[in-house]
C-alpha cells in the first residue's frame, strides 16, 4: 500500500504540476484501483490522506496559490456498464428506493479543470483545480481564451458566481499546431490534454493566446443571488449568460438510455470537436444531490464512465522495416504486446527514419502508444524519465529487406526511402496484388493479404521456419501419398500434439534443415500481376505456405507447410489390418472457387477502379474517377500529355506527372496489355441519351442510402458531370442526407445549404437543379457517416 501510494503521488505531480506524465491514464487508474482494493481488504491500514481519499494536483512553482470559494471535487470512475448500474443502485438506495431519478449525461472532456469567478458579472479570476481546495492563479492566461466572456450577458448578474469547466485543445486545431511544428522541424506535442495544460500554464500570456484553447463550463460552486433546481437548469442559465456550454449533454430518464448514450459515443468518440475519455453521469435534481451528499473526494451523485484507453505505455522491443507496394521502406515498432482501445497490439507505425529521429525513440524505451478508433497504432514518443542506459538507436537499413536492392530517396529531399526494384521485389508485388483486390479497386473480397502472399511470395516465411529447425524445433509436412506413411518421420498430430491415436492428421516431421524431404523453393504463380485474371484452380494446386504451429492459440515454435488453395488428401487408418488408406483426393478449397469466380466478375469493373488497381502513385479513387470521366478509356489516358492531364478537373500537375511517368515504364505497359487480353474492361460504356445534369455542381453524400452504395452514389454524381466531395463547405451546392448522417449534415444546416433526402437526390440526378424539390430530412442522428 505504501509503494502504491508513493507511485500515485509521484504520478500526480508529473501529471498535474509538470504536465509531463510518465504514466498513461489507464496505468494510473489501475494503480488507484489496486490501492482501493487493498484498502477495502485492510481498512485498519487505510490512511485519511490516501490518494483514494484526496483530489490529485497541487500548485506548481511560479504560480500564486488561490483558495477556491467552494471545494472542487473529483469523480469516482466506472469501467463497465455493470459499474454504472451498481452506482445507480446505490443512488436509488440513498434516495429511499422510491424516487424517480433523471440523469444528466455528458461527454467527459479530456482537458484541464478550471474555476472561473465572476463578481457582479465581471471575470475576476481563473484558477486551476489544484488539490481541490487551492489551485493556481492563471487569470491573465484565461483572459486570452476566445470563448471565455469578460462579462456575463445580463443586466442583473449574480453578485458572485463560481463556474467550473474544462479547458481543452480542439482536435482540429491540435493537428494544425502539430503540422506547423513539423514544418518548422520542431517536436510534435504528444496529445491535446497535455498541450492544453501546458498552454494554460505559460508564464507569458502571449504564448497562451497563440494557442487555440477553448472552454466548456459544466457546473457551479458559489452562486449568490440566483436560485436553480437542477444541473440542467444550471446549463441553461450559464448559456443564457453567454458562457460556453457543451452541445453534447442529454437529460435521460432511464439507465437503458444512459447505456445507449455511452455505447453510441464509444463508437463515435472521434466525431466531436475535442478529445473525450468517457461519459459523466449526474443525478440532475439538486434536491436529490443534497440527499446523496459526497465523500471526502467525490460526490455520490455522479460517476465518470471511462472508455478503454487509447493511450498506454509498453516496451519498444525492436524497430524493423516493411516494404510497401510503391517500394516505400517504412520503419515499424515491435512492441511488448499490450491491450489498447479493446485490442492487443504488437506492432506500431513510425512512418520513416526521420520520424524515428524526431520522436527520439530508442530500442528498449518505454513508449507511449496511441490507438484512436480504427487508426493504425502509433508510437507517440518515449518516456525519457524511465531510461536506464541500455537503450539503443535505430539505423535505417541500406538494402531492401525483401529483395536486397539498395534503397534510396526517389528524389532529392524526399524523407521516404524506396526500393527501386518495383518489378521484382516480392514485397512490392504482394502489396500491389493486395491493393488491386481492395475495396477501392477491383473489390475482390477473397483475395486478402494472406492469399496475395501465397500467390506472389509463398516462401516468405521459409527462413523463419528453417531458423526454428536450427534452434531445435520441427517442421511438419503434409502427407502426399501412402508411401509417405512408411517414412521414419511419419507422425500423427492431434490438437497440435503428437498422438498415439489414429484420428489426428498424418504428417511428416522434419527436424533437420538439410532434410531432402523439405520442399524446394517455389516459383510464384503471379509476378508482375499481368496473369492475375487468367488464374485457374488447377494452377493453384501445388502452392504451399509456411505457417507457425499453434496449440491452444499459442505458438509452439514448430512450423507447418500447408496447402494454400487446396485441401490435403485425406487418409484413414484401419485398425483391422493396421493399414493406412487414402479416402479422399485433394480438392480446391471453397474459397479458391470463390476467388476464381470473383476474378472473372472483376474483369467488368469500371475504368476508374482499374486505374486505382494499377498502383499509379498519387492516383486514388478521386483522381481515378476524374480521369475516367474526362477520357473514357485507358488508351486516351495513355496518349494524353502532361499539360492536358494536369488541366483535368481533380488531377493537377503532381498526379499528371505520376501518370505520365507510370506509362513510360515498359513492364507497366505489359501489365495493362495482360489485363486487357484477359478481358479486363479498359473503357467505360457511354450511356445512350446521357445528359450531364450536374455539370459544375458539388454534391456531398452523408449517411446510408437504400438505393446506392457509397461508391455508387459518387459514381452517379461524377457520371453526370458533378463533383462528389467528401467534406461540406460554403462551396457545396447540395448535401444528400441518408440514415445515420452525422456532423456533415449538421454543418450543412449551419451553413444554410440545400439538403436533399434520397428521393430528392434521384430527382437531382435525373433532371438537374431546375426541377429538384429540396426537403430537409427529419433527422436527429449525430453519428458520423
Amino acid at each position: 500500500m505504501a509503494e502504491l501510494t508513493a507511485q500515485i503521488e509521484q504520478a500526480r505531480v508529473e501529471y498535474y504540476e509538470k504536465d509531463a506524465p510518465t504514466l498513461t491514464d489507464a496505468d494510473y487508474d489501475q494503480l488507484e484501483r489496486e490501492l482501493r482494493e487493498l484498502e477495502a481488504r485492510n481498512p485498519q491500514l487505510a490512511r485519511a490522506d490516501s490518494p483514494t481519499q484526496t483530489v490529485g494536483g497541487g500548485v506548481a512553482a511560479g504560480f500564486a496559490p488561490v483558495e477556491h470559494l467552494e471545494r472542487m471535487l473529483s469523480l469516482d470512475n466506472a469501467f463497465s456498464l455493470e459499474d454504472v448500474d451498481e452506482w445507480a443502485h446505490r443512488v436509488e438506495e440513498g434516495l429511499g428506493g422510491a424516487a424517480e431519478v433523471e440523469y444528466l449525461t455528458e461527454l467527459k472532456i479530456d482537458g484541464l479543470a478550471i474555476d472561473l469567478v465572476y463578481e457582479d458579472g465581471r471575470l475576476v479570476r481563473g484558477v486551476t483545480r489544484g488539490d481541490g481546495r487551492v489551485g493556481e492563479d492563471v487569470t491573465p492566461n484565461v483572459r486570452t481564451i476566445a470563448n471565455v466572456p469578460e462579462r456575463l450577458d445580463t443586466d442583473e448578474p449574480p453578485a458572485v458566481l463560481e463556474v467550473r469547466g474544462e479547458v481543452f485543445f480542439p482536435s482540429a486545431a491540435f493537428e494544425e499546431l502539430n503540422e506547423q511544428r513539423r514544418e518548422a522541424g520542431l517536436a510534435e506535442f504528444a496529445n491535446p490534454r497535455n498541450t492544453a495544460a501546458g498552454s494554460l500554464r505559460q508564464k507569458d500570456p502571449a504564448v497562451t493566446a497563440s494557442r487555440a484553447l477553448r472552454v466548456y463550463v459544466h457546473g457551479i460552486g458559489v452562486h449568490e443571488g440566483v436560485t436553480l433546481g437542477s444541473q440542467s437548469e444550471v446549463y441553461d442559465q450559464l448559456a443564457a449568460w453567454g458562457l460556453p456550454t457543451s452541445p453534447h449533454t442529454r437529460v435521460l430518464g432511464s439507465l437503458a438510455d444512459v447505456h445507449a448514450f455511452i455505447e453510441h459515443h464509444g463508437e463515435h468518440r472521434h466525431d466531436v470537436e475535442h478529445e473525450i475519455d468517457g461519459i459523466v453521469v449526474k443525478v440532475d435534481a439538486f434536491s436529490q444531490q443534497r440527499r446523496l451528499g459526497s465523500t471526502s473526494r467525490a460526490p455520490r451523485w455522479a460517476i465518470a464512465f471511462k472508455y478503454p484507453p487509447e493511450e498506454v505505455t509498453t516496451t519498444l522491443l525492436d524497430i524493423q522495416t516493411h516494404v510497401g507496394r510503391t517500394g516505400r521502406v517504412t520503419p515499424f515498432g515491435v512492441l511488448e504486446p499490450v491491450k489498447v482501445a479493446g485490442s492487443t497490439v504488437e506492432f506500431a507505425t513510425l512512418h520513416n527514419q526521420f520520424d524515428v529521429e524526431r520522436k527520439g525513440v530508442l530500442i528498449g524505451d518505454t513508449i507511449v502508444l496511441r490507438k484512436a478508433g480504427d487508426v493504425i497504432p502509433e508510437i507517440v514518443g518515449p518516456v525519457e524519465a524511465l531510461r536506464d542506459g541500455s537503450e539503443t538507436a535505430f539505423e535505417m537499413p541500406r538494402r531492401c529487406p525483401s529483395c536486397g536492392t539498395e534503397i534510396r530517396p526517389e528524389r532529392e529531399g524526399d524523407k521516404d526511402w524506396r526500393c527501386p526494384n518495383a518489378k521484382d521485389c516480392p514485397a512490392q508485388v504482394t502489396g500491389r496484388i493486395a491493393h488491386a483486390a481492395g475495396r477501392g479497386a477491383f473489390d475482390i473480397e477473397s483475395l486478402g493479404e494472406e492469399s496475395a502472399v501465397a500467390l506472389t511470395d509463398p516462401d516468405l516465411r521459409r527462413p523463419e521456419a528453417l531458423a526454428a529447425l536450427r534452434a531445435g524445433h520441427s517442421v511438419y509436412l503434409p502427407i502426399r501419398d501412402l508411401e509417405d506413411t512408411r517414412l521414419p518421420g511419419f507422425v500423427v498430430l492431434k490438437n497440435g500434439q503428437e498422438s498415439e491415436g489414429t484420428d489426428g492428421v498424418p504428417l511428416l516431421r522434419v527436424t533437420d534443415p538439410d532434410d531432402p524431404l523439405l520442399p524446394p523453393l517455389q516459383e510464384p504463380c503471379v509476378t508482375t500481376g499481368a496473369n492475375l485474371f487468367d488464374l485457374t484452380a488447377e494452377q493453384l494446386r501445388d502452392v504451399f505456405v509456411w505457417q507457425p504451429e499453434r496449440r491452444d492459440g499459442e505458438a509452439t515454435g514448430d512450423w507447418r507447410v500447408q496447402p494454400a488453395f487446396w485441401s490435403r488428401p485425406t487418409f484413414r487408418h484401419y485398425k483391422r489390418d493396421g493399414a493406412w488408406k487414402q479416402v479422399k483426393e485433394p480438392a480446391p478449397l471453397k474459397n479458391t472457387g470463390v476467388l476464381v469466380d470473383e476474378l472473372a466478375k472483376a474483369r467488368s469493373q469500371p475504368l476508374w477502379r482499374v486505374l486505382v488497381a494499377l498502383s499509379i502513385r498519387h492516383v486514388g479513387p478521386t483522381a481515378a474517377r476524374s480521369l475516367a470521366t474526362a477520357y473514357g478509356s485507358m488508351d486516351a489516358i495513355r496518349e494524353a500529355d502532361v499539360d492536358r492531364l494536369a488541366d483535368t478537373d481533380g488531377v493537377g500537375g503532381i498526379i499528371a506527372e505520376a501518370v505520365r511517368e507510370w506509362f513510360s515504364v515498359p513492364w507497366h505497359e505489359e501489365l495493362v496489355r495482360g489485363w486487357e487480353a484477359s478481358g479486363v474492361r479498359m473503357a467505360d460504356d457511354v450511356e445512350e441519351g446521357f445528359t450531364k445534369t450536374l455539370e459544375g455542381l458539388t454534391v456531398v453524400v452523408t449517411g446510408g442510402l437504400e438505393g446506392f452504395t457509397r461508391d455508387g452514389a459518387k459514381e452517379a454524381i461524377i457520371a453526370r458531370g458533378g463533383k462528389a466531395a467528401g467534406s461540406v463547405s460554403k462551396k457545396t451546392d447540395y448535401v444528400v442526407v441518408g440514415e445515420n448522417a452525422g456532423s456533415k449534415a449538421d454543418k450543412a444546416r449551419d451553413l444554410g445549404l440545400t439538403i436533399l433526402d434520397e428521393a430528392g437526390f434521384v430527382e437531382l440526378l435525373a433532371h438537374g437543379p431546375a426541377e429538384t424539390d429540396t426537403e430537409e430530412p427529419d433527422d436527429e442522428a449525430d453519428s458520423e457517416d
Side-chain angles (χ1 to χ4, degrees):
M1 289 168 68
E3 183 181 345
L4 284 169
T5 297
Q7 285 183 272
I8 292 169
E9 289 176 344
Q10 180 60 33
R12 285 180 169 184
V13 170
E14 291 159 345
Y15 184 86
Y16 290 110
E17 298 179 34
K18 297 182 179 179
D19 300 320
T22 57
L23 292 178
T24 63
D25 286 354
D27 295 331
Y28 177 87
D29 289 339
Q30 179 60 35
L31 293 179
E32 198 172 84
R33 281 203 299 272
E34 287 181 32
L35 181 56
R36 196 181 297 275
E37 290 168 3
L38 284 172
E39 289 175 343
R41 293 200 299 269
N42 304 277
Q44 74 281 7
L45 299 178
R47 291 166 32 184
D49 62 348
S50 166
T52 64
Q53 306 301 313
T54 59
V55 176
V59 177
F63 291 95
V66 177
E67 187 171 348
H68 298 300
L69 301 180
E70 186 176 292
R71 190 177 169 207
M72 292 182 73
L73 297 177
S74 186
L75 289 173
D76 287 333
N77 293 324
F79 298 95
S80 68
L81 294 179
E82 290 74 19
D83 289 346
V84 175
D85 291 346
E86 288 178 12
W87 166 80
H89 180 67
R90 293 194 298 272
V91 165
E92 291 175 3
E93 286 185 335
L95 297 174
E100 290 188 6
V101 181
E102 287 194 321
Y103 303 99
L104 186 138
T105 312
E106 59 192 333
L107 307 187
K108 185 176 181 297
I109 302 170
D110 193 10
L112 180 73
I114 194 73
D115 187 54
L116 306 175
V117 179
Y118 287 83
E119 293 180 358
D120 297 322
R122 179 174 172 272
L123 177 66
V124 296
R125 195 157 55 251
V127 185
T128 63
R129 184 176 66 176
D131 64 2
R133 296 183 185 277
V134 177
E136 303 153 330
D137 189 344
V138 290
T139 307
N141 294 359
V142 167
R143 293 187 189 280
T144 70
I145 300 176
N147 69 337
V148 175
E150 278 288 332
R151 292 185 177 274
L152 299 180
D153 187 12
T154 175
D155 295 330
E156 298 180 356
V160 177
L161 178 69
E162 190 178 22
V163 184
R164 274 69 193 271
E166 200 84 6
V167 178
F168 63 90
F169 217 120
S171 301
F174 178 73
E175 292 301 325
E176 185 177 338
L177 176 62
N178 267 346
E179 178 63 32
Q180 293 169 356
R181 293 182 69 83
R182 279 194 293 271
E183 291 176 356
L186 300 173
E188 294 179 42
F189 290 125
N191 57 61
R193 188 270 165 201
N194 290 354
T195 308
S199 300
L200 189 65
R201 284 175 159 142
Q202 291 291 324
K203 300 295 170 47
D204 182 0
V207 178
T208 307
S210 70
R211 308 276 171 81
L213 298 181
R214 293 293 182 270
V215 169
Y216 279 158
V217 296
H218 53 62
I220 57 173
V222 171
H223 51 290
E224 297 179 4
V226 60
T227 303
L228 299 163
S230 68
Q231 194 77 29
S232 53
E233 282 185 31
V234 168
Y235 287 7
D236 292 340
Q237 183 61 72
L238 292 175
W241 283 331
L243 288 157
T245 57
S246 171
H248 310 293
T249 62
R250 300 286 186 274
V251 177
L252 304 173
S254 71
L255 274 180
D257 290 339
V258 172
H259 284 194
F261 188 91
I262 290 171
E263 290 170 346
H264 170 81
H265 285 288
E267 295 172 2
H268 300 278
R269 61 194 286 188
H270 299 288
D271 296 347
V272 295
E273 64 275 20
H274 52 70
E275 292 290 305
I276 69 172
D277 58 1
I279 299 293
V280 177
V281 185
K282 304 173 182 176
V283 173
D284 191 38
F286 282 168
S287 60
Q288 293 178 335
Q289 289 186 11
R290 286 191 290 270
R291 287 180 64 185
L292 292 165
S294 302
T295 66
S296 60
R297 69 182 295 274
R300 295 189 179 93
W301 44 263
I303 194 83
F305 175 88
K306 300 289 283 289
Y307 289 121
E310 294 191 318
E311 278 195 1
V312 295
T313 55
T314 188
T315 303
L316 180 62
L317 302 176
D318 195 9
I319 297 178
Q320 299 177 3
T321 51
H322 164 77
V323 185
R325 63 186 172 89
T326 62
R328 181 185 175 198
V329 182
T330 308
F332 65 92
V334 181
L335 313 173
E336 185 74 37
V338 63
K339 195 161 187 177
V340 54
S343 59
T344 300
V345 174
E346 298 180 58
F347 307 100
T349 183
L350 278 163
H351 301 299
N352 53 50
Q353 70 271 27
F354 296 99
D355 193 41
V356 178
E357 295 169 7
R358 180 174 53 80
K359 289 180 174 176
V361 292
L362 303 176
I363 297 169
D365 266 336
T366 296
I367 53 98
V368 176
L369 179 74
R370 176 188 297 150
K371 185 174 185 286
D374 293 328
V375 178
I376 297 170
E378 177 188 9
I379 293 172
V380 178
V383 184
E384 295 186 23
L386 299 181
R387 284 178 174 163
D388 60 11
S390 63
E391 298 80 13
T392 58
F394 165 73
E395 290 187 17
M396 192 73 175
R398 292 294 179 253
R399 294 193 172 274
C400 173
S402 180
C403 68
T405 304
E406 185 176 351
I407 62 174
R408 59 179 184 270
E410 191 169 61
R411 296 180 179 85
E412 186 177 349
D414 276 2
K415 289 186 176 180
D416 294 327
W417 286 33
R418 297 179 184 273
C419 169
N421 183 21
K423 180 181 179 183
D424 300 313
C425 177
Q428 294 187 60
V429 177
T430 300
R432 288 197 298 270
I433 296 302
H435 171 76
R439 289 183 60 186
F442 283 118
D443 196 14
I444 304 170
E445 190 172 340
S446 59
L447 182 48
E449 185 74 27
E450 289 186 14
S451 295
V453 168
L455 291 174
T456 61
D457 193 12
D459 288 311
L460 174 66
R461 305 195 71 180
R462 181 188 181 105
E464 294 178 68
L466 296 184
L469 273 178
R470 286 188 286 271
H473 292 285
S474 303
V475 170
Y476 295 97
L477 310 178
I479 294 287
R480 292 161 295 186
D481 54 46
L482 289 174
E483 289 297 317
D484 288 343
T485 64
R486 300 183 179 90
L487 293 171
F490 167 62
V491 296
V492 176
L493 280 195
K494 182 179 181 182
N495 297 327
Q497 301 182 65
E498 290 189 29
S499 169
E500 294 182 1
T502 57
D503 54 349
V505 180
L507 297 163
L508 291 172
R509 180 172 179 265
V510 175
T511 57
D512 182 354
D514 297 319
D515 194 312
L517 287 174
L518 285 172
L521 289 171
Q522 304 171 78
E523 286 293 327
C525 293
V526 174
T527 51
T528 63
N531 67 327
L532 177 64
F533 294 92
D534 295 327
L535 292 175
T536 65
E538 189 61 37
Q539 287 176 296
L540 305 177
R541 178 181 184 126
D542 296 325
V543 178
F544 292 85
V545 291
W546 300 71
Q547 296 179 344
E549 182 71 21
R550 294 185 175 272
R551 185 180 305 145
D552 298 327
E554 298 292 330
T556 64
D558 296 336
W559 286 73
R560 182 187 293 218
V561 177
Q562 184 80 5
F565 298 101
W566 281 60
S567 66
R568 294 185 300 263
T570 303
F571 299 90
R572 182 173 297 166
H573 182 266
Y574 290 88
K575 294 182 181 179
R576 185 173 55 191
D577 57 8
W580 286 86
K581 295 183 175 63
Q582 183 172 324
V583 296
K584 189 180 289 186
E585 288 284 335
L589 298 173
K590 181 179 179 181
N591 198 53
T592 303
V594 172
L595 172 61
V596 173
D597 291 343
E598 287 187 345
L599 284 168
K601 292 176 184 176
R603 296 181 184 124
S604 60
Q605 289 282 25
L607 177 61
W608 74 266
R609 287 184 175 274
V610 181
L611 287 167
V612 173
L614 291 173
S615 284
I616 303 172
R617 197 173 176 191
H618 305 305
V619 177
T622 301
R625 285 188 179 97
S626 297
L627 290 166
T629 301
Y631 296 94
S633 72
M634 191 71 72
D635 285 340
I637 295 169
R638 181 194 289 109
E639 292 166 5
D641 60 28
V642 170
D643 292 338
R644 188 179 168 205
L645 288 169
D647 286 340
T648 305
D649 184 40
V651 178
I654 292 175
I655 296 175
E657 290 281 358
V659 171
R660 260 297 27 88
E661 184 178 323
W662 192 90
F663 277 106
S664 69
V665 177
W667 73 265
H668 290 167
E669 184 70 22
E670 294 171 12
L671 173 63
V672 173
R673 293 306 179 197
W675 283 3
E676 188 174 24
S678 301
V680 174
R681 177 175 167 181
M682 292 291 162
D684 282 337
D685 298 329
V686 179
E687 296 181 30
E688 192 172 341
F690 180 81
T691 55
K692 294 199 173 183
T693 54
L694 305 185
E695 188 77 57
L697 298 178
T698 299
V699 183
V700 173
V701 178
T702 179
L705 303 178
E706 289 187 8
F708 300 84
T709 63
R710 186 181 296 267
D711 286 333
K714 289 182 178 179
E715 289 174 27
I717 294 165
I718 293 169
R720 288 158 179 79
K723 178 181 179 181
S727 59
V728 174
S729 71
K730 292 180 180 179
K731 296 181 180 180
T732 304
D733 295 292
Y734 294 93
V735 178
V736 181
V737 175
E739 290 186 11
N740 298 319
S743 58
K744 293 177 186 176
D746 294 337
K747 186 172 182 180
R749 294 186 183 97
D750 292 343
L751 293 174
L753 302 177
T754 302
I755 297 177
L756 304 177
D757 59 9
E758 185 166 357
F761 179 49
V762 172
E763 284 294 309
L764 180 69
L765 293 174
H767 304 294
E771 301 181 37
T772 300
D773 294 325
T774 64
E775 180 179 341
E776 174 112 2
D778 182 16
D779 178 20
E780 296 183 357
D782 57 359
S783 62
E784 180 60 64
D785 66 297

